[in-house]
Amino acid sequence: MNDARHLLITGASSGIGAEAARRLQTMGHRLTLLCRSEQAEARTRLQLGPSPRILVADLADLEAVDRISRQLIDEADVIDTLVLNAGLQLAGTLAPQWSRQGIELTFAVNQLAHQRLLENLLPLLKRGHQPRAVITASDVHNPLSGGGRVGRPADLGSLDGLRSGTGFAMVDGGKFDADKAYKDSKLCNVLLGRELSRRLEAQGTPFPVLSWSPGLVIPRGPEGFFRTSRACNPLGMTLFALLARDVLRLTETPAQAGELLANLCVDNRWSDPGFHYFSNHLTRPGQHRFEAVDTSAEARDQAKATALWRLSSELIQTVIPGVQPSDPLEL
């Protein structure tokens, strides 16, 4: 039995995040959940009851991320596990959508908001009991993976888009491609974990930084991860789900993926300090194996990880000037 922990989780109103939150609550852990809207808050409350603390903070708005961070810092309630799980996928859309600060939405939600939470809440996490960070990425960050080979592969190039300031459609500066934007954001998530781990090690305060891929999860019903794809191409997505999930059995269930996430958050098996990447990859139809694997070559590029963190932090400071990170980890 693991000791009870305090976990802060993004993306817990649906999908694998909701499954993980349900399991963690049953295990006796204390949860603080960030939901993007009052509607998501109400849905989460129906699923989990009154016990978790639910705070509304739209990750598409960096000022909202800062407001909720300041509230948590003022309360000084330490965090044992920080779970950066929320993910936005806009495959099927032809033009970029923009955050409140004028940043392409996939990158704003999947990467910038999570880096900002890390910058702001790291003091609370460092003071936690055996702290750890868990970041939900995806094997599609790797051009050699099954999903990574479909369509244009993840590639951040020289970060030319990010270097240009607000208004870029793609991190590499190229033409907008919603599917590639998602893959790129997951590559950013892996690099985020790698750079966080490097900085913690340099400070002499290492703890586990766990990045992972849940595999292909296609829930039944209209909500969840593929809701935009379903809206853009309902017939195509219905056929894809039927083939991948029900005929070829290539997918993982939300319940099993949620259990994996819950275990990563609290289980002592994953308590070694440093950066680790795990994949729940398909071994045969209907069968997955969860294990530590190598990331893509680009995701092992430490210089790029450092540049991504620095440029992301500079962009955040540009769009919300005058507000400094609580622990900027400047090394």
Side-chain angles (χ1 to χ4, degrees):
M1 177 69 70
N2 295 291
D3 294 335
R5 299 175 66 83
H6 176 211
L7 300 95
L8 187 143
I9 308 174
T10 69
S13 62
S14 63
I16 63 175
E19 292 286 347
R22 185 179 299 109
R23 289 178 180 274
L24 289 164
Q25 181 173 254
T26 301
M27 295 163 67
H29 298 287
R30 184 163 62 91
L31 308 181
T32 298
L33 311 178
L34 300 190
C35 290
R36 67 180 179 274
S37 66
E38 292 180 356
Q39 291 79 9
E41 176 188 15
R43 182 170 63 249
T44 306
R45 186 65 70 198
L46 284 175
Q47 295 174 335
L48 299 177
S51 294
R53 184 184 188 191
I54 303 178
L55 303 173
V56 175
D58 186 356
L59 299 187
D61 181 358
L62 288 169
E63 291 186 10
V65 171
D66 264 13
R67 284 196 299 272
I68 210 68
S69 297
R70 287 195 298 271
Q71 177 182 338
L72 291 165
I73 291 167
D74 288 344
E75 294 170 352
D77 191 4
V78 299
I79 299 167
D80 301 312
T81 304
L82 179 61
V83 188
L84 306 179
N85 171 71
L88 180 69
Q89 192 249 42
L90 299 175
T93 60
L94 301 180
Q97 300 180 36
W98 306 98
S99 75
R100 183 176 177 184
Q101 283 77 35
I103 301 164
E104 191 278 316
L105 202 56
T106 313
F107 181 71
V109 171
N110 295 1
Q111 172 67 11
L112 277 190
H114 284 143
Q115 176 165 326
R116 188 59 176 177
L117 280 172
L118 267 175
E119 289 180 338
N120 286 340
L121 300 181
L122 194 65
L124 297 179
L125 184 59
K126 282 183 174 181
R127 287 159 47 199
H129 173 65
Q130 298 180 348
R132 73 177 69 176
V134 179
I135 304 171
T136 299
S138 171
D139 281 344
V140 301
H141 88 272
N142 189 341
L144 301 180
S145 69
R149 290 194 297 264
V150 178
R152 293 173 61 194
D155 180 6
L156 304 182
S158 299
L159 306 173
D160 289 343
L162 181 56
R163 293 179 190 276
S164 68
T166 59
F168 61 91
M170 301 289 288
V171 176
D172 66 359
K175 183 179 179 181
F176 180 71
D177 181 317
D179 178 61
K180 182 179 183 296
Y182 175 73
K183 293 174 183 172
D184 286 353
S185 75
K186 296 292 100 179
L187 173 56
C188 288
N189 288 164
V190 179
L191 290 167
L192 176 68
R194 191 175 293 281
E195 176 63 4
L196 171 64
S197 181
R198 183 195 72 81
R199 292 175 176 232
L200 292 169
E201 181 69 31
Q203 287 188 335
T205 57
F207 57 69
V209 179
L210 312 178
S211 183
W212 77 296
S213 171
L216 177 61
V217 180
I218 307 179
R220 302 181 187 276
E223 293 298 321
F225 182 68
F226 286 99
R227 58 184 177 274
T228 301
S229 301
R230 290 192 186 97
C232 292
N233 184 10
L235 178 59
M237 279 303 300
T238 298
L239 293 175
F240 171 69
L242 178 66
L243 182 65
R245 183 184 59 216
D246 302 316
V247 177
L248 299 178
R249 297 190 297 148
L250 306 179
T251 64
E252 182 58 277
T253 66
Q256 180 59 31
E259 181 178 0
L260 291 174
L261 175 56
N263 289 339
L264 276 177
C265 292
V266 300
D267 198 292
N268 291 330
R269 287 176 292 174
W270 294 290
S271 59
D272 290 340
F275 175 81
H276 309 273
Y277 182 77
F278 301 93
S279 172
N280 185 37
H281 57 92
L282 188 74
T283 57
R284 63 184 182 186
Q287 186 71 45
H288 287 75
R289 178 182 299 137
F290 186 67
E291 61 185 352
V293 300
D294 286 337
T295 66
S296 72
E298 189 173 7
R300 294 193 296 272
D301 186 338
Q302 185 59 66
K304 183 166 288 187
T306 300
L308 175 66
W309 183 298
R310 176 179 58 81
L311 292 167
S312 296
S313 186
E314 291 174 357
L315 177 60
I316 292 168
Q317 293 303 304
T318 298
V319 297
I320 46 173
V323 181
Q324 297 298 318
S326 300
D327 188 341
L329 283 172
E330 290 296 344
L331 299 171

